Amino acid sequence: MGNASEIILLVSRISKDHDFLMGSLYTIFGVLSVAGNGILLFVAYRKKSSLKPAEFFVVNLAISDLSMTMTLFPLAIPSTFAHMWLFHQTTCIVYAFCGVLFGLCSLSNLTALSCVCWLKVCCPNYGNKFSYCHACLLVAGVWCYAGVFAIGPLSGWGEYGAEPYGTACCINWHAPSQSSAAMSYIICLFFFCYIIPCTVIFLSYTYILLTVRGSRQAVQQHVSPQNKITNAHTLIVKLSVAVCIGFLTAWSPYAIVSMWAAFGDPDEVPPMAFAVAAIFAKSSTLYNPIIYLVFKPNFRKSLCRDMALCRMTLCRCLCQPGPPKKGTCTQSHHKEECNSTRLSNGLPEDHGTCRHCPCPDAVTCNRDCANFSPQQTARILKGALNSEVAVSQLSNEMQSDFL
């Protein structure tokens, strides 16, 4: 493909309209992936002291997804809009290496996570012994496993090259028909990095679902501190299943098209088939942050708490230093909300305080807003009397009914 210092000429083999559509999708995927995975890593950093060992894999998955986005999308987007590969041959090889490394890391990470979930649910006596040290060792093993197959083509076992559709780089699918080493690499890659991980993931979650369905009482017994898993572990199982389904859905089309090219005639594979499979593969970076930020309670609560702190900091900055009248808000657009707030039963009641500046006196807003922690309350009606109590003081059953 020419000298490494020269720009290689790889012209797209699909139409300009399709390239424009791909570039637009890549742009959307890139923005959402950076935002989602960045927020997820920020939340994980904020709650790092309370992370469970199994959640290390969630963080590692976000790291690999964000790394894939940062290394691939800035090169793929301009190339698709330009209808050709715009960079050097060395850049093409680095692009392919990063795609293989981070893609295989994500799949290996999900495989390890499924095994940990199986161990905790189906073998709690051993699962309860899973520690932070075990999690760190497994995470390191995941990167090493992916690194072996990513470094292979750089050392002569396999080969990196241009994608059949022309605006990206990955494994050279023409090489297996010309080299036995390249063919062995493709076979090992398909078997050890797709068939075995998918089988392990499928069997792990099948056993988990059978365990839950066959003996709900046995699963409920896993809630005690001694020899049972917590409700958080059950949530991790459910969410991990969703992540695995999304990831496998994204990568299966690319695996099928790749095997078609490797074991058949690559020229017979339509370039658009590779292009569509690549879009599905790159969309995998979106699933992890969406699922964990939207559906996982502890991540969602941490995010809401951080957003509330940011809002109160903004409120403190907007409050004027002058002493306003008691019971009024310093900002005019808060006026109606200062006059009355709404209780949990929906009835208005005058408090003379501002809901956005939750201090008993607006004068002390600048001093106390930063230390204020919002608290949900519930109105309890007993006969003709009613009282307002914090939700955290209710029983678990009443909390579940209220929330």
Side-chain angles (χ1 to χ4, degrees), residues 13-36:
R13 297 179 61 191
I14 61 178
S15 68
K16 290 186 177 181
D17 291 338
H18 289 156
D19 267 334
F20 182 81
L21 178 60
M22 286 183 61
S24 301
L25 290 176
Y26 285 165
T27 302
I28 296 172
F29 291 168
V31 172
L32 294 178
S33 178
V34 170

Side-chain angles (χ1 to χ4, degrees), residues 37-210:
N37 288 293
I39 293 174
L40 181 58
L41 290 176
F42 173 75
V43 172
Y45 173 78
R46 294 277 295 178
K47 66 187 294 290
K48 58 182 180 295
S49 59
S50 60
L51 282 178
K52 299 176 178 62
E55 291 176 333
F56 281 23
F57 298 97
V58 179
V59 176
N60 189 46
L61 188 59
I63 292 174
S64 62
D65 287 342
L66 186 60
S67 301
M68 178 182 289
T69 302
M70 299 299 292
T71 55
L72 302 191
F73 283 69
L75 304 179
I77 292 174
S79 295
T80 53
F81 282 128
H83 198 57
M84 62 180 295
W85 178 255
L86 297 175
F87 305 96
H88 298 153
Q89 180 181 1
T90 302
T91 308
C92 179
I93 295 175
V94 172
Y95 180 100
F97 171 81
C98 292
V100 173
L101 175 65
F102 297 129
L104 295 183
C105 179
S106 295
L107 184 56
S108 303
N109 188 82
L110 290 171
T111 305
L113 178 58
S114 67
C115 292
V116 172
C117 292
W118 169 81
L119 191 67
K120 286 182 169 294
V121 174
C122 301
C123 305
N125 290 333
Y126 297 98
N128 290 334
K129 299 177 182 179
F130 188 77
S131 64
Y132 294 97
C133 181
H134 297 145
C136 292
L137 289 176
L138 273 179
V139 168
V142 163
W143 283 98
C144 292
Y145 188 84
V148 169
F149 289 94
I151 295 174
L154 300 179
S155 60
W157 186 39
E159 183 180 335
Y160 287 135
E163 288 272 29
Y165 54 90
T167 56
C169 299
C170 193
I171 297 169
N172 186 352
W173 303 111
H174 290 83
S177 60
Q178 305 169 3
S179 170
S180 57
M183 176 60 75
S184 66
Y185 173 77
I186 296 298
I187 293 175
C188 291
L189 183 70
F190 182 67
F191 184 75
F192 290 104
C193 298
Y194 186 76
I195 296 297
I196 290 182
C198 290
T199 302
V200 171
I201 289 172
F202 176 78
L203 291 178
S204 297
Y205 289 115
T206 298
Y207 280 117
I208 290 173
L209 293 176
L210 289 176

Side-chain angles (χ1 to χ4, degrees), residues 10 48 183 230 233 278:
L10 292 176
K48 58 182 180 295
M183 176 60 75
T230 63
H233 292 156

Side-chain angles (χ1 to χ4, degrees), residues 265-309:
D265 185 358
D267 295 328
E268 294 181 355
V269 182
M272 195 60 196
F274 267 102
V276 173
I279 291 176
F280 273 94
K282 289 181 173 63
S283 69
S284 64
T285 59
L286 307 178
Y287 301 144
N288 177 43
I290 291 176
I291 291 175
Y292 279 92
L293 288 176
V294 174
F295 297 107
K296 198 170 190 307
N298 57 346
F299 279 85
R300 187 175 65 249
K301 290 178 181 178
S302 297
L303 178 61
C304 292
R305 183 170 60 249
D306 293 337
M307 291 179 64
L309 290 175

Side-chain angles (χ1 to χ4, degrees), residues 15 30 47 182 237 302 310 343 363:
S15 68
K47 66 187 294 290
V237 171
S302 297
C310 292
L343 302 177
V363 177

